[in-house]
Amino acid sequence: MGEVQLVLAVTAILISFKCLLIPAYVSTDFEVHRNWMAVTWQRPLCEWYTEATSEWTLDYPPFFAYFELGLASVAHFFGFDECLVISKTPRFSRRILIFQRFSVIFCDILLLSALYTPSALHV
């Protein structure tokens, strides 16, 4: 088995495992990231780091905030607007869980495809 086939096989196994775990558990991180998406989507840039409706204020570097804004744009595009509501209390639904889980899976695929392009494998 070549390196590319091995990477594809391991990726398929890991993605399958992640899909099985979609309903398995929910941690505080789900609300933290949901809130960060909401803040970057609902507030202007100058308020991202001062918005304090939730206890989960945005405290990561700007590149990560823009990443959250990108995820918020995807959530809005696909109709997951319930992810984008700024709220003092945690918001949770099966749709929010599914969006967040699949956004992680998609980002994993994107990262792996960037790391294992044919040109990167033959350097």
Side-chain angles (χ1 to χ4, degrees):
M1 180 179 278
E3 185 176 358
V4 173
Q5 290 84 8
L6 179 63
V7 168
L8 290 174
V10 170
T11 301
I13 291 168
L14 291 175
I15 290 171
S16 299
F17 185 66
K18 283 185 176 194
C19 287
L20 288 172
L21 292 177
I22 286 175
Y25 72 97
V26 178
S27 70
T28 305
D29 284 344
F30 278 90
E31 177 57 21
V32 171
H33 288 282
R34 190 214 55 80
N35 185 65
W36 291 350
M37 282 192 304
V39 167
T40 58
W41 183 255
Q42 298 289 343
R43 299 287 188 252
L45 175 63
C46 63
E47 294 178 19
W48 286 2
Y49 289 93
T50 58
E51 202 327 295
T53 302
S54 170
E55 66 179 295
W56 310 113
T57 58
L58 184 56
D59 58 359
Y60 274 46
F63 179 80
F64 191 77
Y66 283 110
F67 176 72
E68 292 287 351
L69 178 60
L71 290 175
S73 298
V74 172
H76 176 71
F77 180 81
F78 286 107
F80 289 90
D81 290 322
E82 62 266 34
C83 296
L84 307 176
V85 176
I86 296 174
S87 174
K88 185 170 183 66
T89 58
R91 294 180 53 90
F92 181 77
S93 72
R94 185 157 179 82
R95 285 178 47 87
I96 291 172
L97 175 68
I98 288 170
F99 175 78
Q100 288 186 291
R101 293 281 195 200
F102 278 107
S103 67
V104 169
I105 291 168
F106 174 77
C107 290
D108 287 347
I109 292 169
L110 188 65
L111 176 62
L112 287 169
S113 65
L115 292 173
Y116 292 100
T117 60
S119 60
L121 291 175
H122 298 294
V123 173

